[in-house]
Amino acid sequence: MVTVRNAFAGALLAGMATAVAWGTPASADGAYPSKPIEAVIGFKPGGFSDAMTRKLSEPLKEILGHTFVPVYKAGAGGSIAATEVATADPDGYKVVVATSLTFAFNPLNVKVSYTAKDFDYLLTMARFEAAFVSMADRPWTDLPSMLAHAKESGKPLRFGSLGPADRMQMAFVADKTGVPIIPLPVKGGANAMQQLLGGHVDFVMSGGPHQQYVESGEMIVLAAAGAQPLNATPDAPTMEKLGYPAVSYNAVIAAPKGLPQDVRDKLSAALVEAAKDQRFQELVQGRNVGIEPLGADGTTQSIDAAIVSVEEMLKAAGQ
């Protein structure tokens, strides 16, 4: 005789077996996400990466029902944050907010414990106005004419460098053209502007602070560092168009490699939708870094293209 208790137990066991078969707990529907997502930001609190992450969280909460919880792991060009996320569980609850160089440049140029293949790329949400800039009163108008002037005068060019990526680009240019280019490290964008305004260097790499001086007529953009035209000065030639390796400085969100396909697709689609939201676009367009957001496939292709440029520069340098 089947008792009520036995019938209930049998039904419970059947329900548990079904849940195991589908790979979800019997007490949950398995919907993703079921809790907030930790965003490990590779830069200091209060910076623009922090601002973008927080602004992205507003529409993301409306789309997914949960938002980002920012955690800060600044240092090494985003590599500290990337190192932590690379070894996290690929469950969709931990992502890294960094730049394209964190994934495409750092693993090939400095000692880190991850590679570009250790991540599932989800979103490219902005492109910084990385450019080579000089004073407007110099006897050139762009990068080719500056190089031609230097070759004719026989004088080396003094270059205010923000980091190893731009130094590698200019080393490639110097090797290809025969023009001596002396890199002089500068500490951040503000210092780069000071060095240029003070006449201590002939040109600098800038990630955006130059725009006010270009608008006032004091400075000119010699070339965009990447393959895409700049938003503020779209007529400036790109390094790719000039025949040199391009290095784009994109804001990227990635997760540990191995996300379930449905989670990857859902999270990437939600991030793209959030990045297209007016609230987020007002922020990035106000800084001239707005782009058409790239999802998982587009971001992966962008990282792959950046790796090719870095490998080209390393090969030219004999590394």
Side-chain angles (χ1 to χ4, degrees), residues 40-63:
V40 184
I41 302 172
F43 305 95
K44 295 179 180 179
F48 194 55
S49 291
D50 185 17
M52 285 191 293
T53 304
R54 291 179 179 278
K55 187 59 68 174
L56 200 67
S57 292
E58 297 175 20
L60 193 65
K61 183 175 178 61
E62 298 165 7
I63 298 165

Side-chain angles (χ1 to χ4, degrees), residues 190 193 197 208-219 232 288:
M193 296 298 96
L197 289 166
H210 64 277
Q211 292 179 35
Q212 61 177 313
Y213 298 103
V214 172
E215 291 174 2
S216 69
E218 294 176 83
M219 295 182 184
N288 285 320

Side-chain angles (χ1 to χ4, degrees), residues 19 40 45 107 121 220 289:
V40 184
Y121 298 99
I220 57 172
V289 299

